[in-house]
Amino acid sequence: MKPPKPGQKYSPLGQLVLARLREFFRQPEVVFWVYGFPILMVVALGIAFRNRPVEQIRVDVQDSSYSSGVADALGASPKFKVQRGDADICRLRLRTGKTDLVVIANTGRQYEYFYDPTRPESLLARNSVDDALQRAAGRKDVAEPTDKELTEPGARYIDFLVPGLLGMGLMGGGLWGVGFVIVDMRIRRLLKRFIATPMKKHHFLAGIMLSRFLFMVPEIVILLLFSWLAFDVRVQGSLLTMMVFIFLGAFTFAGIGLLVGSRANTLETVSGLMNLVMLPMWILSGIFFSSDRFPAVTQPFIKIIPLTPLINALRAVVLEGHSLTQLLPEAGILAAWGVVTFALALRWFRWT
Amino acid sequence: MPTAIQCRSLFKRYEGKQPVDAVRGLDLTVETGECFGLLGPNGAGKTTTIEIIEGLLQPTSGEVEVLGLRWGKHEDRIRQRIGISLQETKLSEQLSILETLTLFRSFYHQGLEPADVIERLSLEEKADARVGKLSGGQKQRLAVACALVGDPDLLFLDEPTTGLDPQARRQLWDIIRDFGKQGRTVLLTTHYMDEAERLCDRVAVVDHGKVIAVGSPRELIASLGGEHIIDFSLNNGDGRPPLTEAELAPVPRVQSVRIEDGHFSLAVAEPHVALPALLSLLKDLNRNLASLTTRHASLEDVFVSLTGRHLRDGESNAPVSNA
């Protein structure tokens, strides 16, 4: 922030930033959505996908004259949670997801497995049950595998999720904190009131940007600190590289926010535009699961939309400890988005 | 000292499916130190005109000079010396009065201390109150305060008292008068004739995007020929044809007659002469009065005599231009 010029008692940039900060922190509901909401997401998803003690496999054995033999064979292993019932009940429980697999014993050695092959847990149940029944029937395994479990920090879903949420927060913050705020000011004719004064336009835009960066700092710190304390999520790479990408992401999405808000003069228009911009990235950019899962033809598009390189870079730093030089392509795409959207926004910007 | 504002043949067309000519050849001169009012019905082109002069709208054609300077050439020099209150601005509700004024003060090289402006506008008690908690009158005073904090030579107020209660309006009038006493210039728009009459040194009556009369309120009223108005109406229950203007000719000192829905308005110079004559004439004609009042002529009468319409019902047949 520049010191005020001689003869100028108040710094306009300082005052503009101060005004934005006051507006923001004096609206508790806004503060909650920006700072509290990502934490709730981490808590909810962290608990939902925590590493539980290996879960029991739910198996229903349909009543028949051979069913008790099957139920006894499976009941011997703690892996299985066995229930018995008639055909209708078993079918209903399978359809409603209360059981993973229904076993129908036609004879002592002929079994039918009834399940939904698109449900991963059903596939798992089918294979485990089959193994157990085969062994019970006298199969001898020839190989001798031993199981080792992977549980160390850095490899869990929560470690994967936190960089995704960081990216999502940067995107939402840029679009809401810049685009929406500017349109709101335009509707209230505050923009017009400002340019009716000798205010410098670049002071106004710089003020919006600076305050956006300032709001972002606690957002990031709180999320990282909470994930570290509650879930032991650690950043493997350098914090400096992390910060470079956070600022780059904040800058890029502020530029996109500015562009989205450059002309709209109703809240409906800007909300529609923001959804149009954010929705593809929410879905495709890999916030909650890897974007590699989408079909190959869509990959070039997915790779170029700005949230993808941001999340990929953050993930690479947090999970794999990549350095800035390894992540130059991601940085380049982000910077290009930021510069181009900024330039367009400044050209199209409408004050009244 | 140069004239404060000079406009020559201003035109403004809003393009669209049906282009609207909001301003159609408007000339205006405002001298330094006067409080000048643009008076006209809603949609007359007042706001478009004032926003062109404020440099917020581009005229389609025409010339504007503000404080002897031109928009486009001397943008910042003009902005540093004028203060503007727009028709409708929603300032940030979360900021206090003092914070809002300090923000606006920071845009000017020179200006007043925010605390002093607060005192001048009698907002001391509310200095730290959030804008969202203020009454309509207080908000409007704050809007004027934001226009004053740069210590302007020229103040623009677009409908400063619309929607305010009588007390809040009078408070604001006092503030504007105080500003004028320092030899500075005010240009305001209003559709309240009493506001223009009490506040303005000179008034331009605007209708359909043109100035149709300029002068001090007193001059404009005097131009009616009579400063008093006799209003009366008759009982017409007997089925006789309505009274005509010609039948009223014998009444002395009548400058003009207006007949509207059986309601007669006579502009007279000397009511004490005209009134007895009117009463005896009506008696001779065997007409019965339903009502009779006398009053001072107002700018409303000027507007009606110029346009045949009332200020307040001008909306229906005038273009809407409060964009």
Side-chain angles (χ1 to χ4, degrees), chain B residues 37-142:
Chain B
L38 293 176
L39 177 67
N42 290 331
K46 302 187 301 289
T47 295
T48 304
T49 304
I50 201 171
E51 290 195 348
I52 290 172
I53 300 171
E54 290 166 345
L56 296 173
L57 278 178
Q58 282 284 338
T60 308
S61 68
E63 285 176 33
V64 182
E65 246 178 55
V66 179
L67 301 167
L69 304 168
R70 277 167 192 274
W71 293 110
K73 265 199 218 160
H74 310 109
E75 173 107 22
D76 188 62
R77 278 174 66 192
I78 303 177
R79 291 254 173 259
Q80 292 286 355
R81 290 178 57 197
I82 65 174
I84 293 175
S85 169
L86 298 173
Q87 199 174 88
E88 222 182 300
T89 303
K90 294 202 181 91
L91 296 162
S92 298
E93 305 219 319
Q94 287 78 28
L95 300 186
S96 75
I97 287 187
L98 183 62
E99 289 161 354
T100 304
L101 282 175
T102 310
L103 172 65
F104 276 88
R105 171 64 185 84
S106 76
F107 302 144
Y108 295 87
H109 293 319
Q110 279 156 5
L112 306 172
E113 274 306 306
D116 294 344
V117 179
I118 288 173
E119 200 187 313
R120 236 166 90 184
L121 299 204
S122 325
L123 287 166
E124 301 99 315
E125 282 176 30
K126 296 279 173 183
D128 295 314
R130 305 267 170 94
V131 172
K133 303 256 186 254
L134 300 180
S135 70
Q138 290 163 340
K139 276 185 186 158
Q140 198 55 33
R141 264 186 283 162
L142 175 60

Side-chain angles (χ1 to χ4, degrees), chain B:
Chain B
M1 213 177 269
T3 42
I5 297 168
Q6 181 94 55
C7 298
R8 271 174 238 104
S9 47
L10 277 191
F11 280 88
K12 177 66 184 181
R13 166 172 287 195
Y14 290 107
E15 297 297 343
K17 274 184 201 156
Q18 287 176 310
V20 176
D21 290 316
V23 179
R24 320 170 185 200
L26 186 140
D27 296 286
L28 197 66
T29 305
V30 178
E31 301 297 339
T32 300
E34 67 179 342
C35 178
F36 194 98
L38 293 176
L39 177 67
N42 290 331
K46 302 187 301 289
T47 295
T48 304
T49 304
I50 201 171
E51 290 195 348
I52 290 172
I53 300 171
E54 290 166 345
L56 296 173
L57 278 178
Q58 282 284 338
T60 308
S61 68
E63 285 176 33
V64 182
E65 246 178 55
V66 179
L67 301 167
L69 304 168
R70 277 167 192 274
W71 293 110
K73 265 199 218 160
H74 310 109
E75 173 107 22
D76 188 62
R77 278 174 66 192
I78 303 177
R79 291 254 173 259
Q80 292 286 355
R81 290 178 57 197
I82 65 174
I84 293 175
S85 169
L86 298 173
Q87 199 174 88
E88 222 182 300
T89 303
K90 294 202 181 91
L91 296 162
S92 298
E93 305 219 319
Q94 287 78 28
L95 300 186
S96 75
I97 287 187
L98 183 62
E99 289 161 354
T100 304
L101 282 175
T102 310
L103 172 65
F104 276 88
R105 171 64 185 84
S106 76
F107 302 144
Y108 295 87
H109 293 319
Q110 279 156 5
L112 306 172
E113 274 306 306
D116 294 344
V117 179
I118 288 173
E119 200 187 313
R120 236 166 90 184
L121 299 204
S122 325
L123 287 166
E124 301 99 315
E125 282 176 30
K126 296 279 173 183
D128 295 314
R130 305 267 170 94
V131 172
K133 303 256 186 254
L134 300 180
S135 70
Q138 290 163 340
K139 276 185 186 158
Q140 198 55 33
R141 264 186 283 162
L142 175 60
V144 174
C146 290
L148 289 176
V149 75
D151 199 20
D153 297 323
L154 171 56
L155 181 63
F156 292 93
L157 303 168
D158 195 358
E159 309 233 340
T161 65
T162 297
L164 297 189
D165 61 59
Q167 196 199 343
R169 293 181 69 198
R170 272 193 293 276
Q171 269 180 326
L172 215 51
W173 289 350
D174 287 340
I175 292 162
I176 298 167
R177 278 200 203 100
D178 279 350
F179 180 81
K181 278 182 197 151
Q182 304 164 343
R184 308 190 190 202
T185 315
V186 180
L187 176 64
L188 61 86
T189 71
T190 183
H191 59 259
Y192 296 125
M193 55 195 166
D194 59 332
E195 184 161 285
E197 260 176 75
R198 288 185 204 190
L199 209 50
C200 297
D201 302 314
R202 286 201 305 147
V203 170
V205 181
V206 182
D207 192 39
H208 295 321
K210 279 186 190 157
V211 173
I212 55 175
V214 189
S216 70
R218 186 178 282 267
E219 281 166 7
L220 290 173
I221 290 166
S223 72
L224 287 173
E227 292 183 17
H228 298 269
I229 305 286
I230 300 173
D231 292 315
F232 69 92
S233 57
L234 299 173
N235 278 326
N236 274 351
D238 49 10
R240 290 165 58 189
L243 196 67
T244 62
E245 191 172 338
E247 285 177 286
L248 287 168
V251 181
R253 315 292 288 149
V254 173
Q255 306 296 331
S256 67
V257 178
R258 207 169 76 235
I259 307 172
E260 211 179 335
D261 296 338
H263 182 95
F264 297 79
S265 297
L266 312 184
V268 299
E270 290 167 300
H272 62 281
V273 177
L275 198 52
L278 173 67
L279 293 175
S280 72
L281 175 75
L282 292 176
K283 198 172 180 192
D284 294 346
L285 293 172
N286 202 14
R287 299 270 188 171
N288 292 322
L289 279 170
S291 69
L292 173 74
T293 55
T294 69
R295 59 184 170 85
H296 281 281
S298 71
L299 285 175
E300 172 92 16
D301 299 299
V302 175
F303 186 81
V304 173
S305 87
L306 288 170
T307 66
R309 287 177 291 119
H310 288 276
L311 272 170
R312 60 181 174 278
D313 56 31
E315 290 97 336
S316 51
N317 42 11
V320 179
S321 66
N322 285 323

